[in-house]
Each structure stands twice: as C-alpha cells, then as structure tokens.
Amino acid sequence: MVIATVIMVQYAGGSNQNDDLYQDKSYEIDSSNPEVLYGWHVSAGGQRIRGDTWYLGSCMIWVDTIITKSYSGEFVRNNPDNSFYPGDGFSYSFTYGWSGDPLECQNLTVCPLYSKHITPGSNIDCNLGNLKVVQRKASDGGNTMTLSGTANISVDENASGHYIGLQINAQRWGCYFPEGVPATCGWVQISTTGGFAPSVLRPNVQLALSHEYVDDSDGYRSANLDGTYYLWDAINVVHEPIYKWKKDRVGTLSVRIAKVHNLKIEKEFQCAVKACSHTLVHDGFLPWSRNYEYGDGHTVYNATDKGEIRKHTIAYVAELYNLGQIVKKASNSTDILVVAYEPIFTAHPYLVLKDEQWWSWSNRQGIALDYKGSLGSGTDDLHKIHENRRSKINAHVYAGHAYNPINKVPLTEVFLWSEANPISREPEYGCADEEFDLSSFEAKSERTAMFVKAGYGKIAFSYPILKTMLEKRYINATIDNTLQSVNFAGLKTRNLTEYQYQYPDVKFNNPIKILTYDSEGSRTELPVQVSMTPDLTKDAMYIHDYTCKKILRDTGNPKLAHIIVSDMYGKANTASGTGYLNMKAHLTSIWFPSFYSILSDDPLSIPIHQGYRTLSPYDIAITVGDKNRTLSRVVSFLSPFVHIVNLDSDNQLNVTQSNGLVRINPHETFGEIETVSVNGVFLEENCTNGCTTTDKGDDLEIEAWNIWGGRALGYVKRHKTSMQEEHDWDVILIAAMIMLVGVFMWRFSGQILQYLGLKRA
C-alpha cells in the first residue's frame, strides 16, 4: 500500500506523460435515446506506464452507468425535468469490466450494490477482504459484465442523499526504485465506482378550497355577497390539490380527497384524468360548467333545516399517493355561515305615467322599493341589518275593487307582473340629485327580481281595467298588492311588503289640434308649431314638481321620489306640422286655486290621486308662418282642445237678421272672434264664438277680426227702392178705403136695401 501511495502521488504530479496514457478517467456518456435519463463512464488504472522512479503495469477497470425511465403500465415514473418524487423509480444498468496484462492485472472483485433510500441495495460499505474473486487474471482483450434492474425510491418524504452505485476492484503490479535505494515491487489495489444520485423532490402538496357560486333557475346567484348562505342555497365548494407536475404525473401520482362535514351533499365530482370539463345539472339551478385539472373537483352542500342556521366547518384532507403508497398529506377547511332570511323593505306605489296612455287606468302601476337588507339572527350571526344579503321577489298576491260609485265592487281583471327595470338617470327626469348603485337590483328572468344587496329598485304591474271603468262608470279603482318570495331561503312563502294604491280618476293625455285655413276654407301649407307650459301667472307648476314634493312629504326619501318622477312622461309638450298638427299632450300643469284651502291649508297633504284631479292652466304658444300668439287657457283634458288659425282678410262672416236682431257667427274655418265692428262702431259684446246685436234699420257692414289678425266681412242691406215705397203706400190707402167701405156696407146694409125697395121695413 506504501508503494501504491507513492506511485499515485508521483503519477498525479508527473509531467512526462502523454494524454493517451492518462489513468482514472470519468466522463458523460452521450445518448440520443429519449429513454436515457443519465449516462456516465468511470475507470481506474490504465496502460503500462513508467516514470523515473516508478513503474505500473497494464491494468484497467471500468463501470458504465446507464439510468433509463421506468414505467408503470404506460405511465413514466419520473418528472419531466428528470427529477423524482418519493416512491418513483428508474431502470439501472451497470456495465463493468477489466483488461490488462495477465501478469500485471489480477483478482477482479465486485462489491455488493450500494444504495441509500433506494431499493435494491444496501448502505453497508464494501469490505474488500471478504469479497469473492470474480476473475483471477485479466486479458488484453478485456472482459465485460452487466448488473441491471429496476430501482425504487423510498416513499419517505424526509429522506435525503438518495444514491445507488456499484464498486469494482482489481490488483495492479507496480514497482518503486528511487536512486540509491533497492527497488520495491508488489500488487496495488485499484477501485472505481459507477453510481447515480437522483434528484428527489420533497413533496409540497397544498389543498386550495374556494366557493364558486351556482345560479338558481332564474339566473340569480345562490349565495349572499357577504359569503353567507340561506337555507336551500347551493353551497358549492371547489377543491384543488396543488403539487408540482400534477398534470404530467397522472397514472402514477394520485390524489384522494376526504371530507368531514354535517351538511347534506347534493352533488359531487372529481376529475380523474389530466383535464376535465364538467357540467353540474341539478333541479332548481341552471347548469354550471367548469374546467378542472386532475384531482380537482367540487361538492354541492345544502342546509335544509332551521336547526342548521348556524356556522358549519367543512374539513378536507388530500392524500398524495405514488402507485398506491402515500407520500404526502395536506388539509384545509372552510367555514359556512347559514343565516336566517329576514328582509326589510320600504315601498311606495305610483302610476307609471311614461306609458303615455290616455286614462290613468291604462297606465301600469309601479312600486318603488327601498331594500334595507336582511336582519341577522341565530347563534353565530350578528343581530343587525346586513346590507350585503339578498332578497328575491318572484310572486305577488292582490285584490282589486272600485265603486259604482256608491257600493264597493270587485275588479276581476288580472293584475300581472310587467317588468322590473333599472332606474333612469336622464337629466330631464327625477327630482333630486341622487346617486344610485345600479348593481343592487337585478331582473334576469321574467316576473322575477333580486336585490343582491341593499339598494333601490322598481317593479311595474299591468291592470287592464280601462274598459270596465269607462263602460260601468266606476270610480276610485284600488289595488291591494303584496310582494312575496316563494320557494326561497327555506321558506315556501315569505311576504316582503304590502301596499294599497288608488288610481286617480284622471285623463292624463289629450289631443291638441291646431288647424289653419284660408278664406276659401281650404287647409293652408303654413308651418305650425305649438308649445304648452304651465301658466305661471296662476302659480301653476309642473306635475313633476308637484309629484316630487308630494312623495318627499309622504316618504321623506328623495331616492324614492326620484324613482317615481323618473317614471313619468317628460315635461315637454311640443309639436310641429304643416297646415295643421294633432298633438298628444301630456297633463303637465297643476294648479291649486284658493278654494282648495277648504280641503286643506297645504295642498301637499291632499292624497295624490285627488291632487292629480285639480285644474290645468296653460300658456299655449302657437306659431303659424311668421306669426305667433300665446293663449292662456285652463285646459280640460276630458275633450280635445281645438284651435283654428285664419290669417286671410277676405273671409266671409255669417250674418243673419230676424225680428229686429242681427246674429253674427264666425265661419267654422275662421276661428274665434276677438273684435267686431258694425258700421265702424266696435261692439262691446263678447263675440268670441258669435254674438247678437240690434237692427238699427240701416244697411249694416259688419267686420270681425280673430286673434291672428284674420278679417271677415258680412252685410245687412235694405233691398226696397223709393218708387216701390210709394206704390206700397197706394196699396195701403186702397186697402184702407176698401176696408172702410166694407165696414160701412156691413153696418148700413139693411137701410140701403129698404131704400132700394128690396127689403121690407
């Protein structure tokens, strides 16, 4: 051994050796085979070599280590980056051999397979003294042998320093002869080891739990925004085990999920392949689809009993297995708070005037809603109003009645849910500068609505009672309505809010007709425009302003007032045409005359259905061609408002004379008369729609003007001449003489006959 030591030192430090004579080589074995994970060559010894003071014989041993993939069926037992999990495996092949001069190379021995945290093999160091000689003498041609098999890595997640290797040994002849010292020769022990140290991951498994929400059959989320649930909600918990190379190791690494809970499981699913697309189908809910990776899944739990209104903890355990052997566990839990359903509402009914129907009974009836939230209760819930808990409106019950007009009679028409719409933010509408969270209120399905959190919303109902009210002359139509949640939050029926609404007996829209004519009675082609605004000189106001003030007084809630006013028609009453126009005017003007103080000192204290029945004074601005006029009128909406415009100055005036009176009537195409003159003298009588004056016995020239400056003429003339008058007097005198003669003859006829002897005395 001293010789060997000296020789190796001299060799290591020598500088007179050729490269091809170098001893103890080590290098990687290149391979294009994708199955090869690792290849390495090691050798000890070499060709015969001589130095100035030493000599080594020809003797070399070597080991080629080749590590290839191992499979379980079709699934590989290592990671894509050639690392390993505990419990993985690989195939090994140690090809070893020796060569040299039989006189200088002897006694080849092989140590037992050495391994650490890998089977087969052991971690016992090789005892050279106890080894059996495999071959006695080397040969120049060399001899090769192979040791191969499948190695399995320990499942111990805490193990480290994994290794497997093979050591071989031989004896090499050598001499040492320094100057002045006798030569020393003998056999030197040489050894080399081929081995593989796999990179084994320390398992890091995590278990992620999340709540992913399912929509009910109407499209609304089956959970509250604050993470709580009601009874009958779908509590959908998704689990995701997380570990490196999860998708790539399907078939060898597997996951088992265990759940500990006290809730009913409705549905569950776990993906058993690399990737899944799964759709949950369950009664009462919309199909819910999701993509999963291996081991991921979901479970739908359900709290069904009032006793389950409390906090629940659902515990999960994920176990990672490698070919049936557990290598790692991970756990996680999630808390579920099931809460009571105690919704709190404020509501105010109104008439949806933006429908623009003629009569109040044709417009839909709306309800403005202020949802406060749900009152908490139960052992684990805070006893307060929780704004981020939802309320579903999906039913209503109602009863309607009217009066005939004395007796109360039922209305049998169907009061039908029409729609639930977002709140308008148009600047023309509304009565308060209010901001609304439009995400509070949803309407995703016909005849349903959902407050997902505290906020404002509105619902409209249709009630086709117009025909009944007009034909039977009923009054005071009234609806009693209750909004409900049905089959929701563990309850068959829950009343949410109830209200009564009385329809105003009012016609809210009316035809306004402006007609233009010429003197021949034909329609003109002049442009016509009209605009109607409340007559402010009478302290009239827009119906929108009245409604706003009234709702604010009744509710004290500016947002409810804004909702109601935003569902009215606009303030504008304008139209245009050519020759004529026919405008559907909205009732926009309201005026409470002084006599209303008999009913109340404050008109806002009068019920709104009565307030809408007050008078409607307007300033009606009309432009025809280049002329314009403004009429101040109290307009009755019970009959059409018609105004005639005639600008011509040669219209005919209807004039008739009878019994000493002259009747003056405007032609139907002339319009209202503003002033009248007879023979240049203006009449004081109001002749707007015609008038009567006395007949002076003279020829009459009558002129009439309308408010547009249009002029109409009419005449009354005496048709008899002077000669005719003399002849008339002659006739009168002759007639008088005849009458006198007749009277005389009648009076003295007896005497005359006696005198003539025609009659006895």
Side-chain angles (χ1 to χ4, degrees), residues 347-375:
H348 197 83
Y350 63 97
L351 199 62
V352 184
L353 290 178
K354 72 177 182 182
D355 290 347
E356 299 186 7
Q357 298 298 312
W358 298 103
W359 287 91
S360 63
W361 310 299
S362 296
N363 293 287
R364 290 173 299 166
Q365 189 269 304
I367 179 71
L369 297 167
D370 175 9
Y371 175 58
K372 306 294 186 182
S374 182
L375 182 63

Side-chain angles (χ1 to χ4, degrees), residues 156-443:
D156 183 1
E157 62 173 293
N158 297 313
S160 62
H162 300 78
Y163 180 79
I164 186 170
L166 180 67
Q167 177 182 330
I168 64 173
N169 318 281
Q171 293 177 339
R172 185 180 191 184
W173 180 258
C175 293
Y176 178 56
F177 41 88
E179 185 177 353
V181 178
T184 303
C185 295
W187 294 99
V188 179
Q189 186 75 38
I190 61 174
S191 298
T192 190
T193 301
F196 174 58
S199 173
V200 180
L201 301 179
R202 187 179 292 269
N204 180 17
V205 180
Q206 298 177 355
L207 181 58
L209 300 178
S210 61
H211 294 231
E212 297 192 11
Y213 302 108
V214 178
D215 292 338
D216 67 19
S217 57
D218 292 317
Y220 304 108
R221 192 171 85 167
S222 180
N224 296 319
L225 290 182
D226 62 358
T228 62
Y229 296 88
Y230 294 136
L231 293 177
W232 297 354
D233 278 345
I235 305 170
N236 187 34
V237 178
V238 174
H239 62 265
E240 296 179 90
I242 302 170
Y243 54 92
K244 197 171 183 180
W245 308 116
K246 182 170 74 170
K247 290 179 65 176
D248 301 278
R249 294 304 308 277
V250 174
T252 52
L253 297 184
S254 59
V255 175
R256 300 176 188 174
I257 303 294
K259 310 160 193 172
V260 180
H261 60 91
N262 56 7
L263 295 173
K264 179 183 178 182
I265 290 181
E266 297 287 348
K267 289 287 179 70
E268 57 185 335
F269 169 80
Q270 183 167 317
C271 182
V273 294
K274 284 187 177 182
C276 302
S277 180
H278 175 73
T279 298
L280 166 69
V281 178
H282 194 60
D283 290 343
F285 299 92
L286 295 179
W288 181 76
S289 298
R290 191 185 191 278
N291 294 325
Y292 302 88
E293 292 184 356
Y294 172 78
D296 300 349
H298 79 101
T299 306
V300 178
Y301 302 92
N302 185 9
T304 59
D305 185 80
K306 288 184 178 180
E308 294 176 326
I309 298 178
R310 56 185 175 84
K311 180 180 176 181
H312 301 263
T313 298
I314 302 176
Y316 280 71
V317 176
E319 297 177 327
L320 180 64
Y321 288 83
N322 195 334
L323 295 180
Q325 299 183 87
I326 189 167
V327 296
K328 187 69 176 178
K329 286 185 178 182
S331 62
N332 200 353
S333 64
T334 182
D335 290 334
I336 308 295
L337 181 57
V338 180
V339 298
Y341 180 47
E342 298 287 345
I344 299 174
F345 280 90
T346 298
H348 197 83
Y350 63 97
L351 199 62
V352 184
L353 290 178
K354 72 177 182 182
D355 290 347
E356 299 186 7
Q357 298 298 312
W358 298 103
W359 287 91
S360 63
W361 310 299
S362 296
N363 293 287
R364 290 173 299 166
Q365 189 269 304
I367 179 71
L369 297 167
D370 175 9
Y371 175 58
K372 306 294 186 182
S374 182
L375 182 63
S377 63
T379 57
D380 300 308
D381 195 14
L382 294 176
H383 290 218
K384 67 172 189 175
I385 296 176
H386 296 267
E387 295 184 351
N388 285 323
R389 294 181 185 174
R390 70 200 196 281
S391 179
K392 186 174 186 178
I393 309 170
N394 59 350
H396 66 284
V397 291
Y398 65 92
H401 66 270
Y403 290 85
N404 66 350
I406 298 175
N407 297 320
K408 182 178 178 180
V409 292
L411 295 174
T412 59
E413 288 80 0
V414 177
F415 188 68
L416 186 65
W417 180 304
S418 175
E419 61 181 350
N421 278 334
I423 299 167
S424 171
R425 283 184 173 173
E426 297 178 42
E428 181 183 1
Y429 298 95
C431 64
D433 186 14
E434 296 293 329
E435 289 294 327
F436 290 88
D437 183 353
L438 300 185
S439 66
S440 300
F441 188 65
E442 297 178 350

Side-chain angles (χ1 to χ4, degrees), residues 632-673:
S632 294
R633 298 284 192 273
V634 175
V635 178
S636 170
F637 271 53
L638 296 178
S639 60
F641 176 87
V642 180
H643 182 72
I644 305 298
V645 178
N646 190 311
L647 304 179
D648 286 355
S649 60
D650 56 347
N651 293 279
Q652 292 185 358
L653 187 66
N654 291 333
V655 178
T656 57
Q657 184 266 344
S658 176
N659 299 324
L661 298 176
V662 176
R663 179 65 187 172
I664 304 169
N665 288 307
H667 193 274
E668 62 181 8
T669 63
F670 183 69
E672 298 177 0
I673 295 176

